[in-house]
């Protein structure tokens, strides 16, 4: 990895947090409370922006995603963190002991002793007309995030992988009317067919051509042959693609996430506290764990912040001892 020298005119922080979602803001609050200088650079692209509410977040149940982030920004700023909008395009390792130069798309740069990257992921939807327009409304992926809101309604599962039968059985907890559309997914095994039948889940062969919408509400799933089956919610398995562009500039490549022999996305590998293979760089939230919900992302941000502060404390102590000896 190429090593650069620090520009004395660039603003220097203990920690730069790249990404201002739940993980990033949680980390910023903890680090600011630890009296570290913190800058949060947020591109304004939260994964859950299409959703109307955050769920399973103790004390914040039903809060709008935008409201949760606004509260988090206020809390971080209240302890001294600086928060700015912008997109980070690269991070460069500086000479030993000088940290990292973080460069934004407008060419401006700051220097950080440590980096916490919480850039999240992108949900890539199957290429079926109508899915993107209803995403986060009646087109859903997580039963714990949205199951309660569509309870007792007709639900369709769009099969695209070997996980489809598992999804159907899971969503059956929230509704007795669940239909598995095989679409492009593999045929269920004999055992899965038996399980689906035992739970009263219908299986429909053939590819899905699109969705039917009436009065701005999803009313059905349209098959390639023209048949429409009434549904009020559709469950999809998205591909979780880590927003790892900044990390790639530091030499960190994304790892494929495999479930049941099927690659469902990518993530950045890290230890339990979020430390990556590049010393001084931590990750938290969906960029490190695609399956993490909002409250889990916030917890991961806190855990990474504590590890970062401990690492900085150790460095500060080494420097103080060296100065003391002199």
């Amino acid at each position: 990895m190429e090593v650069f020298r620090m520009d004395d005119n660039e603003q220097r922080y203990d920690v730069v947090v790249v990404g201002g979602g739940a993980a990033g803001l949680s980390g910023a609050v903890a680090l600011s409370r630890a009296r570290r200088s913190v800058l949060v650079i947020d591109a304004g692209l939260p994964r859950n922006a299409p959703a109307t509410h955050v769920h399973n977040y103790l004390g914040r149940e039903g809060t709008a995603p935008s409201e949760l982030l606004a509260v988090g920004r206020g809390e971080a700023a209240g302890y001294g963190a600086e928060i700015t909008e912008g997109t980070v395009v690269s991070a460069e390792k500086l000479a030993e002991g000088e940290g990292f130069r973080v460069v934004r798309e407008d060419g401006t740069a700051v220097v950080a002793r440590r980096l916490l990257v919480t850039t999240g992921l992108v949900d890539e939807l199957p290429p079926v007309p109508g899915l993107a327009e209803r995403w986060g409304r009646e087109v859903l992926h997580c039963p714990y995030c949205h199951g309660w809101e569509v309870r007792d309604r007709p639900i369709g599962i769009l099969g695209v992988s070997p996980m489809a039968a598992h999804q159907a059985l899971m969503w059956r907890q929230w509704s007795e009317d669940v239909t598995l559309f095989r679409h492009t997914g593999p045929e269920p095994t004999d055992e899965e067919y038996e399980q689906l039948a035992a739970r009263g889940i219908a299986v429909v062969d053939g590819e899905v051509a699109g969705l039917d919408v009436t009065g701005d509400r999803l009313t059905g799933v349209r098959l390639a042959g023209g048949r429409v089956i009434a549904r009020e919610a559709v469950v999809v398995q998205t591909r979780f693609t880590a927003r790892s562009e900044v990390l790639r500039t530091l030499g960190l490549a994304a790892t494929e996430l495999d479930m049941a022999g099927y690659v469902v996305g990518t993530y950045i590998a890290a230890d339990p506290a979020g430390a990556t293979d590049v010393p001084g760089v931590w990750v938290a939230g969906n960029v490190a764990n695609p399956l993490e919900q909002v409250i889990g992302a916030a917890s991961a941000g806190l855990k990474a912040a504590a590890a970062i502060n401990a690492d900085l404390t150790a460095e500060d102590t080494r420097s103080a001892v060296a100065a003391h000896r002199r």
Side-chain angles (χ1 to χ4, degrees):
M1 181 185 299
E2 187 175 1
V3 177
F4 301 83
R5 294 294 302 178
M6 184 177 72
D7 185 336
D8 290 337
N9 295 321
E10 291 169 343
Q11 183 70 38
R12 185 175 176 85
Y13 296 87
D14 286 326
V15 185
V16 168
V17 180
V18 183
L25 291 173
S26 178
V29 168
L31 287 162
S32 298
R33 283 176 53 83
R35 308 192 74 175
R36 297 295 179 184
S37 57
V38 178
L39 173 67
V40 179
I41 305 175
D42 183 26
L45 299 171
R47 178 191 181 190
N48 63 351
T52 55
H53 301 95
V54 171
H55 297 291
N56 300 309
Y57 198 127
L58 189 63
R60 291 287 179 180
E61 173 61 28
T63 302
S66 58
E67 180 184 345
L68 182 67
L69 295 183
V71 171
R73 292 189 196 102
E75 291 175 350
Y79 289 111
E82 296 180 35
I83 302 172
T84 185
E85 295 183 0
T87 300
V88 174
V89 294
S90 67
E92 306 161 348
K93 179 71 174 177
L94 297 172
E96 186 66 28
E98 293 186 354
F100 304 86
R101 176 184 289 116
V102 180
V103 183
R104 285 173 278 200
E105 61 183 351
D106 61 3
T108 60
V110 295
V111 172
R113 296 173 65 191
R114 302 292 186 272
L115 291 180
L116 173 55
V117 180
T118 61
T119 43
L121 61 79
V122 175
D123 287 289
E124 297 180 3
L125 293 163
V128 174
L131 289 185
E133 291 78 5
R134 314 308 297 181
W135 176 238
R137 299 170 66 184
E138 303 105 341
V139 175
L140 314 167
H141 77 294
C142 171
Y144 300 105
C145 303
H146 304 289
W148 176 263
E149 282 64 44
V150 296
R151 64 194 184 281
D152 300 326
R153 292 162 60 184
I155 299 171
I157 311 298
L158 184 67
V160 296
S161 81
M163 297 293 293
H166 170 77
Q167 285 180 295
L169 293 167
M170 180 70 71
W171 281 83
R172 176 62 177 77
Q173 175 63 25
W174 283 267
S175 174
E176 295 182 355
D177 188 354
V178 176
T179 296
L180 170 59
F181 296 89
R182 279 191 52 200
H183 189 49
T184 60
E187 183 173 9
T189 65
D190 290 343
E191 181 182 12
E192 287 172 335
Y193 268 127
E194 183 179 34
Q195 292 171 341
L196 294 167
R199 293 291 279 159
I201 299 171
V203 179
V204 176
D205 292 331
E207 291 194 17
V208 171
L211 306 180
D212 271 18
V213 178
T214 303
D216 197 33
R217 294 293 299 176
L218 174 67
T219 56
V221 172
R222 185 167 19 90
L223 300 175
R227 179 187 174 196
V228 176
I229 297 178
R231 297 289 92 182
E232 294 181 14
V234 172
V235 175
V236 301
Q237 180 177 314
T238 63
R239 178 180 171 83
F240 308 130
T241 300
R243 287 195 177 106
S244 57
E245 295 84 355
V246 174
L247 293 160
R248 280 203 298 269
T249 66
L250 289 165
L252 285 167
T255 299
E256 290 186 339
L257 176 63
D258 183 287
M259 295 180 67
Y262 180 79
V263 176
V264 299
T266 59
Y267 67 100
I268 298 297
D271 76 3
T276 70
D277 288 339
V278 175
V281 179
W282 276 257
V283 289
N286 284 151
V287 72
N289 183 352
L291 305 181
E292 200 77 88
Q293 295 187 50
V294 179
I295 193 169
S299 174
L302 171 60
K303 187 179 296 185
I308 291 170
N309 184 60
D311 192 47
L312 287 169
T313 297
E315 181 176 273
D316 293 340
T317 302
R318 289 192 298 270
S319 296
V321 168
H324 180 72
R325 288 173 177 173
R326 289 195 296 271

